[in-house]
Amino acid sequence: MVRPFSPELDHLIEGYRRFRTNGWTPRLERWHQLREGQEPPVMVIACSDSRVDPAQIFDTDPGEMFVVRNVAALVPPFETSPGYHGVSAALEFAVQVLKVRKIVVLGHGMCGGCRAALTQELEGTEPGEGGFINDWIGLLSGVRDEVAHKHGTTGRPAERAMEQAGVKVSLANLRTFPCVRRKEAAGELRLRGAFFAISDGVLHVLDEDSGEFSEVR
């Protein structure tokens, strides 16, 4: 047997063994179904933050959600310029190939990316030293000044306002994709915004008509 090289990897291997015992073997029929393909009804766009796992928050089984995670749960606008468009490719696959029926943008509390966008603490940094992050969270620059003017740039009220504004930005950017607009207009796709508060474990869902997030009870 190959010896794991670090305590961190040892920890993951132990988790894998628990999965084989508790998650794989008792549910072989489900895994055999998934072997034939996937038909998740929901796409979730969430943050890469280690504390915010959509599968854990929503208590789902494998095959139930198509998940994309990135810094601050951001969706870029539709564009065809040269480059690597990872989120756009995943969105295209989910909507056009998997034909998901709902897309949920899941923001969260204590988000470092949203805080950096608000404080602008990474301005002027080089790629590899914070510059990649700064470029990415530049997607929030259009709402940053409004949040800063109303709430300031530090403290939880300001940070939460930025985090929730980020969800709205991603929803707006989703609707710049022709396939999303077309399917939403036809009633084949619904978009929802949500916010998970790490401090108390409470989920909030956005009412786009009012612009307010309401606690799920």
Side-chain angles (χ1 to χ4, degrees), residues 40-59:
V42 179
M43 176 183 192
V44 177
I45 300 168
C47 186
S48 301
D49 193 299
S50 63
R51 300 165 293 182
V52 189
D53 180 359
Q56 185 176 40
I57 292 170
F58 295 118
D59 193 24

Side-chain angles (χ1 to χ4, degrees), residues 40 42-43 66 68 88-101 103 183 189:
V42 179
M43 176 183 192
F66 183 78
V68 172
S88 301
L91 175 64
E92 185 176 70
F93 183 71
V95 172
Q96 301 286 62
V97 179
L98 297 179
K99 302 186 187 305
V100 297
R101 298 188 294 276
I103 300 175
K183 285 179 173 282
L189 180 67

Side-chain angles (χ1 to χ4, degrees), residues 50-129:
S50 63
R51 300 165 293 182
V52 189
D53 180 359
Q56 185 176 40
I57 292 170
F58 295 118
D59 193 24
T60 57
D61 289 328
E64 292 186 328
M65 296 188 305
F66 183 78
V67 179
V68 172
R69 300 179 70 175
N70 62 55
V71 173
L74 292 174
V75 176
F78 177 79
E79 58 184 3
T80 57
S81 59
Y84 298 101
H85 303 284
V87 176
S88 301
L91 175 64
E92 185 176 70
F93 183 71
V95 172
Q96 301 286 62
V97 179
L98 297 179
K99 302 186 187 305
V100 297
R101 298 188 294 276
K102 183 167 288 187
I103 300 175
V104 177
V105 177
L106 179 65
H108 72 92
M110 319 301 290
C111 179
C114 288
R115 183 177 64 249
L118 185 60
T119 63
Q120 298 183 325
E121 61 197 68
L122 296 177
E123 284 288 321
T125 55
E126 294 294 324
E129 303 294 335

